[in-house]
Amino acid sequence: MITVEELEAKLAVPSDELVRELAEVPGDIAILGVGGKMGPSLAKLARNAVLKGGLSKRIIGISRFSNEKARAELEAAGIETISCDLLNDQELMSLPDVENVIYMAGNKFGTTGREHFTWAMNTYLPGRVAEKYKNSRIVVFSSGNVYPFTPVSSGGADETVIPEPIGEYAQSCLGRERIFEYHSHKNGTPMMNYRLNYAIDMRYGVLLELARAVYEGRPINLAMGFVNVIWQGDANTIALRCLAECTSPPSLMNVTGPETVSIRWAASEFAKCFDKAVLFEGTESETALLNNAAKCNQRFGYPSVSLLEMIGWTAEWVKSGGEVLNKPTHFQERKGKF
């Protein structure tokens, strides 16, 4: 893959399992916050699954749509779109009722200095959405940032680990979960808290950041020496399949790849791809922000795209000058300041 078109096509290929499980989940699907990094590809994946299975489902993408080109691309793919400021209560409550909701709206970067907006998006808005869609199934995009750092040798935090979020962004993510959880108890709404880190495609993500640093000869800081990553197409597939797993009270699902990935090792792999030296600074800490996705892998199977495939694809993307989103993950952050 060296073009955005090829990448988008790859991300939108539905698995047979996805088609089968969407057929068993009645009703249309609304994606709130469809305009973010993952939303467009998730919407196109859902639409292709509907077409492949001959299913009678509307896929509705909801966003402010500041980017009209993105909206036009969604509509060209057969996805209905609605422009909505979700923080505007009148606009929110006027949205169509649907049986299934993928909740992707939220704020992370720029939290420092605008903490009030982050809390409004991540904790106030969920309560309004949960009330609006109290009769729906809701998959709530959350974050592995709700967990404490764990020893690298531990295998990462599984769903039984008590959250200890670091910094206001992570705290607000836990707040989002708790507000949805309250409404699930109150109204019996089936939900799933989907704790993701880190999804990647060729245009953004931890692997792209490492690859570009190696390619451009910039040093790589090792303070956060280990991460988890998952191909965005697999993360999108799991999110849609989670509609069949929603419960009241809400279920929890860690979503990421199976490996604890060494930053030093991954950067060295990119150095081999580029035939370049790699520069490091600092040393690995004994702890890192790590998710254990064993439950996810048991339920949905291992990701369809392997770590080495992701590294190879990312290297080719960088060498060919592929488009990037310039939305860094800040995976190196250890004090929770985003």
Side-chain angles (χ1 to χ4, degrees):
M1 293 178 292
I2 58 173
T3 68
V4 170
E5 291 75 20
E6 291 170 328
L7 171 59
E8 291 282 352
K10 178 70 174 176
L11 288 168
V13 177
S15 66
D16 292 339
E17 292 81 6
L18 173 60
V19 173
R20 183 178 65 252
E21 291 181 20
L22 284 187
E24 295 171 355
V25 175
D28 300 329
I29 301 172
I31 303 165
L32 274 63
V34 74
K37 288 186 295 189
M38 294 179 65
S41 61
L42 186 146
K44 293 172 187 177
L45 175 67
R47 176 61 178 166
N48 285 348
V50 165
L51 293 174
K52 182 176 179 179
L55 310 180
S56 178
K57 286 184 190 295
R58 299 160 65 202
I59 307 300
I60 306 168
I62 300 167
S63 173
R64 285 191 300 268
F65 286 115
S66 55
N67 184 340
E68 284 298 323
K69 179 183 176 184
R71 183 175 188 176
E73 289 177 356
L74 289 174
E75 291 178 349
I79 296 149
E80 300 178 37
T81 65
I82 300 174
S83 179
C84 176
D85 178 358
L86 295 173
L87 284 172
N88 183 312
D89 208 53
Q90 184 176 357
E91 291 185 25
L92 173 63
M93 294 303 163
S94 69
L95 291 174
D97 294 327
V98 293
E99 293 89 337
N100 304 286
V101 173
I102 307 290
Y103 183 80
M104 307 182 79
N107 187 65
K108 179 177 183 179
F109 304 118
T111 292
T112 301
R114 295 187 74 211
E115 291 84 357
H116 60 283
F117 179 72
T118 294
W119 283 93
M121 284 296 297
N122 293 355
T123 58
Y124 166 74
L125 179 58
R128 304 306 298 140
V129 169
E131 193 62 34
K132 162 66 180 177
Y133 288 108
K134 63 185 178 183
N135 297 316
S136 305
R137 298 174 200 84
I138 307 177
V139 173
V140 178
F141 266 63
S142 186
S143 169
N145 285 73
V146 301
Y147 290 121
F149 289 175
T150 58
V152 173
S153 61
S154 71
D158 66 18
E159 292 84 355
T160 67
V161 171
I162 296 172
E164 293 181 39
I166 299 171
E168 291 213 38
Y169 163 68
Q171 292 164 14
S172 72
C173 288
L174 182 58
R176 172 171 50 210
E177 291 190 12
R178 295 300 189 220
I179 295 298
F180 271 114
E181 184 180 5
Y182 165 77
H183 284 271
S184 180
H185 279 274
K186 174 187 172 186
N187 298 319
T189 307
M191 300 180 182
M192 167 72 78
N193 282 319
Y194 171 102
R195 293 174 171 172
L196 173 67
N197 71 313
Y198 289 97
I200 73 115
D201 77 18
M202 307 299 93
R203 295 163 294 188
Y204 80 96
V206 173
L207 296 182
L208 176 66
E209 292 168 28
L210 293 177
R212 292 181 73 187
V214 173
Y215 195 72
E216 296 166 9
R218 291 183 281 111
I220 293 169
N221 189 296
L222 293 173
M224 188 76 82
F226 298 85
V227 294
N228 307 118
V229 294
I230 185 170
W231 172 242
Q232 182 177 299
D234 286 317
N236 286 341
T237 295
I238 292 166
L240 290 165
R241 292 179 69 186
C242 276
L243 286 167
E245 298 295 317
C246 293
T247 60
S248 179
S251 308
L252 296 174
M253 188 71 72
N254 289 351
V255 180
T256 195
E259 300 93 352
T260 296
V261 182
S262 160
I263 294 297
R264 186 185 295 272
W265 173 83
S268 298
E269 289 298 304
F270 283 120
K272 294 176 187 176
C273 293
F274 300 139
D275 193 23
K276 291 177 177 283
V278 57
L279 304 175
F280 296 110
E281 60 184 19
T283 57
E284 291 88 346
S285 302
E286 295 181 357
T287 61
L289 180 67
L290 296 169
N291 265 12
N292 184 317
K295 176 183 174 183
C296 179
N297 293 330
Q298 180 187 42
R299 169 62 180 85
F300 300 114
Y302 282 90
S304 67
V305 177
S306 71
L307 176 58
L308 282 176
E309 283 179 300
M310 288 187 279
I311 287 174
W313 292 351
T314 303
E316 289 301 316
W317 191 264
V318 169
K319 283 193 288 188
S320 65
E323 178 182 317
V324 298
L325 298 179
N326 291 316
K327 293 184 177 181
T329 62
H330 298 283
F331 76 89
Q332 307 93 336
E333 177 58 50
R334 296 188 65 88
K335 296 183 178 180
K337 293 186 180 298
F338 296 101

